[in-house]
Amino acid sequence: MYHYRHIWPLAVALFIAACSSSNDTLPEKPVVVVEEPEKPAADNGQPMVFGSSPVATTRSASLETFYTDFKVGVWKNFGNTTQQNVMDGYKVAYNAVTSKWDYVGIGSQIQRYWDLSAFPYEFHAVSPYLEGATIEADKITINVPAKPFKAQTYFNEVYNLTPAESEPCVVAQVSRQDVDISEVKMPFHHLISKVGFRIYLDDPQPTDPAYVAQIDTLTISVVKTGFISESKTYTATTAQGLLNGTFSGDTTSDEFVLLKHGLYQEPDDNNTLVPIDLRQHLRHEDAIDLCPDYLQQIPHEDLKIRIKLQITTIDGDNHEETFNYDKLLSLNKSEASGDLFTWEPEKRYVYFLRIPNIHGHEIVLETCEILPWDEVQTTDIPIEL
């Protein structure tokens, strides 16, 4: 017992000393910080997603391929001192396999979650995804010199550009003021206008059924100092509205020809081309559609429209007369200088030209129908539905 009492305390002391010596000589372990994707705060666990529908998926196949993705900026606590950008130009792309709009895993993009304590949220987007599109909290700037906005023309029934080439992109803006955290559906809007022209003859005289009136040549042009036919840059602030921005870096002219036709022709029962007889188009409802798919144009104010027209009439004795018109359009017959017109974005303008009397050398603007765009992207772009 004597030896046991002394050996045990000694062993304990030696063990403690050894441990102390070991701790003094071992290096400290490095502190490792592991960065993890953004996690939702308590009770805010819903991921932020962009939605579509089966109808939208079907329609997306018929749209231009560049509408299959978009660039988006998202801010929470928008307009407050704690405002934070949570999607800085994210790319969102349609996944045909999953039928969803994905952004996670594209580059370094991570899943974002709704923060129920951080409303309102603000979304600004440009479709398609463009490197040259800068999306800020108070402004969108689109600067793509290789894909500028361009005016469409229609010469001898041939368009110079496809609709996609005329309008390189569309924009969207969504504000979320409450805690509705369902799918975000972006309502994309057009930045340009559509313009169409139709013409008819309001002159049933003479009554000779052999009498014809055919168009030889027709030219429609826009008259305005500095008319923009091509623009490389578009800038809009959220204060003015994304559809009311400014085009710059422009190609301009003081008179720009939109539409030009030679002799109008159509096949008969024997598939032989024959001139179109204006006397077969004597009512508003039967007006000849001069550009069936319309002309996409950069929006303008204070436009004048010039019509140049040559018509040949042939009576039953094959006697021909040629009449020439060169007029600025006006709803007021007495206004020789023509009216000023406006083209706003996302609207369609259809001008009905009436010839009240060929021999009177007169052509008037009967009406201009102002309608929504045929395929307004608020209903047709896939992720809106």
Side-chain angles (χ1 to χ4, degrees):
M1 294 295 295
Y2 176 83
H3 293 288
Y4 177 79
R5 289 177 181 173
H6 286 80
I7 292 174
W8 174 246
L10 178 61
V12 171
L14 289 172
F15 177 78
I16 293 174
C19 289
S20 174
S21 174
S22 175
N23 287 340
D24 289 341
T25 58
L26 287 177
E28 294 184 2
K29 293 183 178 181
V31 177
V32 179
V33 178
V34 180
E35 294 188 2
E36 297 183 355
E38 178 189 13
K39 296 293 184 181
D43 300 323
N44 299 346
Q46 291 294 330
M48 194 178 297
V49 296
F50 297 92
S52 64
S53 74
V55 174
T57 303
T58 302
R59 287 188 178 183
S60 66
S62 64
L63 293 173
E64 295 293 339
T65 55
F66 59 60
Y67 286 130
T68 58
D69 59 23
F70 60 93
K71 189 174 189 177
V72 65
V74 182
W75 294 263
K76 66 180 184 179
N77 282 315
F78 187 73
N80 300 318
T81 56
T82 54
Q83 175 177 300
Q84 182 181 351
N85 185 199
V86 295
M87 288 191 188
D88 183 11
Y90 267 34
K91 182 177 183 178
V92 182
Y94 182 71
N95 187 323
V97 176
T98 62
S99 298
K100 294 181 180 179
W101 292 86
D102 295 334
Y103 61 84
V104 179
I106 299 177
S108 59
Q109 296 174 181
I110 61 174
Q111 179 73 63
R112 295 300 188 185
Y113 295 84
W114 291 104
D115 183 349
L116 300 185
S117 66
F119 281 82
Y121 273 79
E122 183 80 1
F123 298 77
H124 300 160
V126 175
S127 180
Y129 181 91
L130 297 172
E131 292 290 347
T134 302
I135 302 177
E136 303 174 65
D138 60 348
K139 182 172 63 175
I140 282 183
T141 302
I142 300 165
N143 184 4
V144 190
K147 292 183 64 178
F149 296 85
K150 295 182 179 180
Q152 271 189 313
T153 61
Y154 192 58
F155 294 166
N156 297 320
E157 302 186 25
V158 176
Y159 288 92
N160 66 324
L161 303 166
T162 66
E165 292 169 328
S166 177
E167 183 180 38
C169 62
V170 289
V171 299
Q173 178 178 356
V174 170
S175 299
R176 284 290 184 88
Q177 302 295 328
D178 52 35
V179 293
D180 177 9
I181 54 176
S182 59
E183 295 176 330
V184 180
K185 300 179 181 180
M186 304 297 294
F188 284 94
H189 296 276
H190 293 281
L191 295 175
I192 61 176
S193 316
K194 271 187 176 181
V195 179
F197 299 92
R198 298 177 186 178
I199 190 169
Y200 71 100
L201 172 63
D202 186 13
D203 183 12
Q205 302 297 324
T207 57
D208 182 352
Y211 182 86
V212 299
Q214 66 188 43
I215 297 176
D216 298 330
T217 59
L218 170 65
T219 301
I220 299 177
S221 58
V222 174
V223 179
K224 177 184 178 178
T225 302
F227 177 81
I228 302 172
S229 58
E230 179 178 321
S231 184
K232 296 181 176 64
T233 303
Y234 178 82
T235 304
T237 65
T238 53
Q240 69 184 143
L242 297 187
L243 296 183
N244 301 311
T246 303
F247 291 91
S248 59
D250 306 324
T251 300
T252 63
S253 62
D254 295 339
E255 183 162 359
F256 183 76
V257 177
L258 298 176
L259 184 149
K260 184 187 297 182
H261 278 293
L263 181 67
Y264 278 89
Q265 295 181 324
E266 60 185 5
D268 61 11
D269 294 338
N270 297 319
N271 207 32
T272 301
L273 294 178
V274 296
I276 289 180
D277 183 5
L278 271 173
R279 294 194 69 237
Q280 303 301 316
H281 301 270
L282 301 178
R283 298 183 303 167
H284 177 103
E285 295 79 6
D286 297 324
I288 301 172
D289 195 341
L290 300 176
C291 44
D293 293 327
Y294 300 92
L295 299 168
Q296 295 184 173
Q297 303 296 315
I298 295 170
H300 282 85
E301 295 181 347
D302 300 331
L303 300 169
K304 291 185 179 182
I305 299 175
R306 185 190 302 278
I307 306 296
K308 294 182 180 180
L309 182 65
Q310 179 176 292
I311 296 178
T312 295
T313 61
I314 307 172
D315 62 20
D317 297 325
N318 286 325
H319 178 257
E320 295 187 8
E321 289 188 69
T322 298
F323 302 92
N324 290 286
Y325 298 87
D326 186 350
K327 298 286 183 71
L328 292 171
L329 283 184
S330 178
L331 284 169
N332 183 348
K333 296 181 185 179
S334 63
E335 181 57 62
S337 61
D339 287 342
L340 296 176
F341 300 100
T342 296
W343 296 340
E344 296 181 354
E346 206 167 62
K347 290 186 179 179
R348 176 166 51 108
Y349 299 83
V350 187
Y351 295 89
F352 280 84
L353 314 178
R354 180 169 64 93
I355 303 174
N357 189 318
I358 289 179
H359 297 278
H361 291 211
E362 187 177 20
I363 183 169
V364 297
L365 173 61
E366 180 193 54
T367 185
C368 177
E369 294 183 351
I370 304 176
L371 307 166
W373 186 289
D374 288 332
E375 299 173 347
V376 176
Q377 300 303 348
T378 50
T379 57
D380 270 0
I381 205 142
I383 56 171
E384 166 60 13
L385 297 175

